Amino acid sequence: MSSARGRARLTELPLGAIRPRGWLADQLRLQADGQTGQLEDIWPDVGPDSAWLGGDGEGWERGPYYLDGLVPLAYVLDDGELKARAQKWIEAILAGQRDDGWFGPPGDDDWWPRMVALKVLTQYADATGDDRVPPFLRSYFAFQARTLPRRPLHGWGRARGADNVLSVMWLYDRTGEEWLLDLGRLLLAQTHDWATFLTRDLPAGPAPAFRHLVHGVNVAMGLKTPAVAALVDEDGDAGLVRHAEELREMLANLMRLHGLVHGCFSGDEWLGGREPHHGVETCLVVEWMFTLEHLVRILGDGSHADLLEQTAFNLLAASSDPRMLAHQYHQQANQVLVSFADRDWSFSGPDANVFGLEPHFGCCTANLHQGWPKFARSLWMRADDQTLAVVSYAPCQVDSEVAGHPVRLDVRTSYPFDEEVEIAVDPGPVREFALRLRIPGWCQEPSLTVGGEPMPVTPDQDGFVTVRRTWADGDVVHLRLPMRVRTVPRDNGAVGFRLGPLVLVHAVGEIWRPVPDHAGLAEWEITPRTFWNLGALVDDPAGVDGVDGIDGVDAVGSWPVQRRPVGPVPFAVDAAPVVVRGRGAPLRQWRMRDNSAGPPPAGPVATRAPVMELRLLPYGSARLRVAELPTVTVTPEPADD
């Protein structure tokens, strides 16, 4: 085989090079003090009896899943206690390799959980430089190369083989051994053909039965397959372009048939169609984020970073309670009741909707932890030896190298809750280098100054603006990304709202009801204390003035936007950093169905109900919410004779 292959457009910085600041540091500390930091003490599946630690307990995916979030959380926070918790697992994995290269609990021969363990080891090695990891991986990959021809990927591993290839390529980038490219191609040949399924064979509506190709989490993981395939494609950069187009077609068809108002696709275990009562599994959210992080890295397309921010700031934030003590298995775009109840979902138990330790099934309990720390790690990447690129905006400190010399960037912002981003540059001994600044696709009128001087903002085809200059001590990049309230048209005349990367929702008043005798740190049902069934009055001249927007999204700029400082609990509903005050009217005919909000009535709905305030908050702040609303027209009462 030829060693020709596509080259990733961006390169990750070492784990720990990016330190969260501001609201993001607060969010990660909540996670460290909550579910992640205490999980070993409250959940036996990752306790001392785990088979991954040499015990006789759970020995499949849960230990590796937990580590896949614990390791990056420990190192982005530089938290000694979390590092110590992780280290005993690392030592157990490294010590458990057989002479033939196989590793892991002896009672399980599934390829899949080892794919997760490989991701753990590569992150750990990135953070620590532990020189035991590369030979460990090399021995295991040699075992795979010998064994896969007679014992191919199957089940979950066949759906998720691209994740295995990511770790193979991590080692290839450090050793250059050509046989690793051959192994990557073999793994992809044994992986489901996601491109054909998602572009040609994807059914509409809720999946009636399980198969791996309609499992929502598998879809989220499978979407990275074209980009990963580009890394071993013998057509090199031409293959990268071809696979990028393939991915666009896959994603467009998936969203056409299963896209929800918040920009993610449904997956209440299996693909669920487009109606807003269908759920999204927490595992789907964090795996979709991991996929998007690698789509940006490999393809260099800023539109995938737009989706990454949208998923993190909305769905990830909403998947746990504000203090990250408990999580949901499934969340809903239109979620007006959190309770033990049967719902019109593809496959779920009655507890899948509550916030708790292990609602419905324990995969999310183990897997949710990767979302925020991997997002923090991916905020910035390297474009080349003299260029750093911003993938997502959030407060952080970046310590990297340019041309072999240290450079520090201090990113000061409350984004996504604010429009302003400042980047203080400490160039060290290197004065000339470049920053690539991503301009989100929703932003129509960005402005940029560098060292107090205005700069033109003309994004390239990937959505980035490159600032290349000789930097002086104290230089500050000031980027303004104006956010206008805009609408998202939905089926049957319904509508959603966005402000920059934030999905806005009608926030329903919440009554949190603790569940008695619960396991773990906390468990809640939530019932509404206010109307949930309002329609949006979008034609009111005092409310919304509609003009043509971008990408099929209408800009609706005149509803007032109120901003306030981000508090220590960034996604608490009573301290939401953004409030938009619109107008709507109650629709009494819009009622519950199967313990969820029924489908929005076809609009515009004529009503004589009184006009009232429609309070919109960020999706991630509201655990009871309506994200997809019918539109209304208000007919005045006839005048008395």
Side-chain angles (χ1 to χ4, degrees):
M1 285 280 187
S2 167
S3 61
R5 67 182 188 97
R7 302 284 178 177
R9 300 288 174 83
L10 300 173
T11 303
E12 288 181 304
L13 300 181
L15 179 60
I18 300 172
R19 300 290 187 204
R21 296 289 185 259
W23 74 260
L24 183 56
D26 291 338
Q27 186 68 22
L28 285 158
R29 178 46 56 189
L30 288 169
Q31 178 177 342
D33 293 341
Q35 292 172 96
T36 305
Q38 300 189 57
L39 193 63
E40 294 183 38
D41 304 322
I42 61 176
W43 198 45
D45 281 6
V46 297
D49 292 332
S50 168
W52 287 91
L53 292 172
D56 57 3
E58 200 274 342
W60 191 47
E61 66 180 7
R62 294 184 180 182
Y65 261 162
Y66 164 59
L67 278 183
D68 196 30
L70 176 64
V71 168
L73 180 64
Y75 284 94
V76 298
L77 288 179
D78 195 21
D79 186 301
E81 182 178 347
L82 295 180
K83 290 178 185 178
R85 281 187 177 261
Q87 194 66 37
K88 66 178 180 294
W89 293 81
I90 298 295
E91 297 300 331
I93 292 172
L94 293 175
Q97 188 168 45
R98 299 187 322 208
D99 290 343
D100 64 359
W102 183 253
F103 72 96
D108 176 77
D109 66 353
D110 192 348
W111 297 110
W112 157 240
R114 287 154 182 85
M115 295 181 189
V116 187
L118 296 173
K119 292 191 293 182
V120 171
L121 292 174
T122 58
Q123 292 176 92
Y124 166 74
D126 280 342
T128 65
D130 192 322
D131 59 9
R132 296 175 296 171
V133 172
F136 180 99
L137 297 183
R138 189 182 190 283
S139 180
Y140 178 68
F141 293 147
F143 175 88
Q144 285 196 304
R146 295 191 306 269
T147 308
L148 283 167
R150 67 176 186 274
R151 186 164 72 84
L153 299 180
H154 64 280
W156 302 102
R158 188 181 176 204
R160 303 169 175 184
D163 280 48
N164 199 146
V165 181
L166 286 176
S167 298
V168 172
M169 298 309 297
W170 182 93
L171 186 61
Y172 174 83
D173 287 340
R174 286 151 181 81
T175 69
E177 294 177 274
E178 188 173 335
W179 67 270
L180 291 168
L181 298 181
D182 295 337
L183 175 59
R185 295 172 184 128
L186 174 62
L187 286 161
L188 289 169
Q190 294 184 1
T191 299
H192 280 302
D193 183 355
W194 284 105
T196 296
F197 176 72
L198 290 176
T199 56
R200 303 179 195 172
D201 302 333
L202 181 65
F210 172 76
R211 54 180 174 141
H212 281 289
L213 288 165
V214 298
H215 186 269
V217 181
N218 284 350
V219 173
M221 300 175 80
L223 281 163
K224 70 170 68 70
T225 305
V228 173
L231 296 178
V232 297
D233 193 311
E234 293 183 281
D235 288 341
D237 288 346
L240 201 72
V241 173
R242 185 178 69 255
H243 288 293
E245 179 57 33
E246 184 177 63
L247 173 65
R248 278 191 287 272
E249 294 176 5
M250 293 162 64
L251 192 53
N253 199 42
L254 175 64
M255 296 305 294
R256 180 177 67 86
L257 297 177
H258 298 279
L260 296 174
V261 64
H262 44 50
C264 190
F265 53 93
S266 61
D268 39 28
E269 201 71 31
W270 313 330
L271 293 174
R274 292 175 54 86
E275 291 187 326
H277 69 274
H278 277 288
V280 179
E281 184 181 334
T282 294
C283 279
L284 188 161
V285 172
V286 296
E287 293 294 355
W288 179 222
M289 287 179 59
F290 181 67
T291 287
L292 288 165
E293 286 153 9
H294 283 281
L295 295 183
V296 177
R297 178 181 70 85
I298 296 168
L299 303 176
D301 186 341
S303 67
H304 300 309
D306 289 355
L307 287 173
L308 173 61
E309 288 188 348
Q310 194 169 294
T311 306
F313 300 147
N314 299 289
L315 284 88
L316 178 62
S319 65
S320 293
D321 74 281
R323 293 186 177 274
M324 293 200 73
L325 301 176
H327 70 279
Q328 288 180 294
Y329 192 84
H330 293 321
Q331 62 177 277
Q332 297 169 289
N334 285 5
Q335 182 169 281
V336 301
L337 177 66
V338 170
S339 65
F340 293 92
D342 185 38
R343 287 176 167 81
D344 178 29
W345 290 343
S346 60
F347 179 77
S348 296
D351 61 340
N353 184 237
V354 302
F355 287 91
L357 170 66
E358 192 180 359
H360 183 55
F361 193 65
C363 57
C364 296
T365 308
N367 195 23
L368 68 90
H369 314 279
Q370 65 170 304
W372 286 117
K374 288 186 181 178
F375 176 73
R377 192 240 171 120
S378 300
L379 293 174
W380 287 75
M381 297 187 187
R382 181 176 289 110
D384 57 45
D385 187 51
Q386 296 193 355
T387 306
L388 295 174
V390 59
V391 170
S392 299
Y393 292 102
C396 66
Q397 178 181 294
V398 183
D399 286 294
S400 186
E401 290 186 350
V402 172
H405 297 282
V407 169
R408 172 170 289 182
L409 306 176
D410 184 12
V411 182
R412 302 188 290 255
T413 183
S414 293
Y415 184 96
F417 309 110
D418 192 63
E419 304 173 337
E420 311 289 333
V421 179
E422 285 190 352
I423 305 169
V425 180
D426 180 355
V430 178
R431 295 295 167 171
E432 185 175 348
F433 60 91
L435 300 180
R436 293 194 74 209
L437 307 176
R438 186 185 121 257
I439 306 301
W442 48 260
C443 186
Q444 295 179 283
E445 298 177 341
S447 62
L448 174 66
T449 64
V450 180
E453 299 179 5
M455 303 281 290
V457 185
T458 305
D460 61 24
Q461 63 181 4
D462 292 323
F464 290 83
V465 169
T466 299
V467 178
R468 186 178 303 277
R469 65 186 270 126
T470 300
W471 299 91
D473 293 335
D475 271 351
V476 174
V477 176
H478 185 191
L479 178 65
R480 184 170 181 269
L481 301 170
M483 301 178 185
R484 299 182 63 194
V485 179
R486 61 195 196 277
T487 61
V488 179
R490 295 294 294 169
D491 301 339
N492 296 317
V495 68
F497 297 96
R498 294 187 188 159
L499 180 72
L502 296 174
V503 176
L504 297 176
V505 299
H506 166 215
V508 181
E510 301 172 1
I511 302 173
W512 289 64
R513 301 186 182 277
V515 175
D517 302 321
H518 62 78
L521 301 175
E523 188 168 13
W524 292 283
E525 294 183 297
I526 312 175
T527 56
R529 67 163 69 239
T530 58
F531 284 122
W532 64 264
N533 47 351
L534 269 64
L537 190 61
V538 297
D539 293 326
D540 190 317
V544 177
D545 77 25
V547 297
D548 290 339
I550 54 174
D551 298 332
V553 177
D554 292 332
V556 287
S558 64
W559 283 2
V561 178
Q562 174 188 351
R563 290 185 170 90
R564 51 189 174 184
V566 186
V569 182
F571 293 97
V573 67
D574 56 354
V578 174
V579 181
V580 175
R581 302 189 185 281
R583 303 180 73 189
L587 296 174
R588 296 188 62 185
Q589 68 269 40
W590 187 16
R591 296 188 177 275
M592 301 282 288
R593 180 187 298 179
D594 296 325
N595 300 299
S596 298
V605 181
T607 179
R608 291 181 176 175
V611 174
M612 57 193 302
E613 180 180 89
L614 180 65
R615 187 175 67 120
L616 301 178
L617 298 184
Y619 181 105
S621 300
R623 274 66 183 181
L624 293 187
R625 57 184 171 261
V626 181
E628 183 171 321
L629 295 85
T631 55
V632 296
T633 57
V634 177
T635 304
E637 293 284 351
D640 294 334
D641 292 338

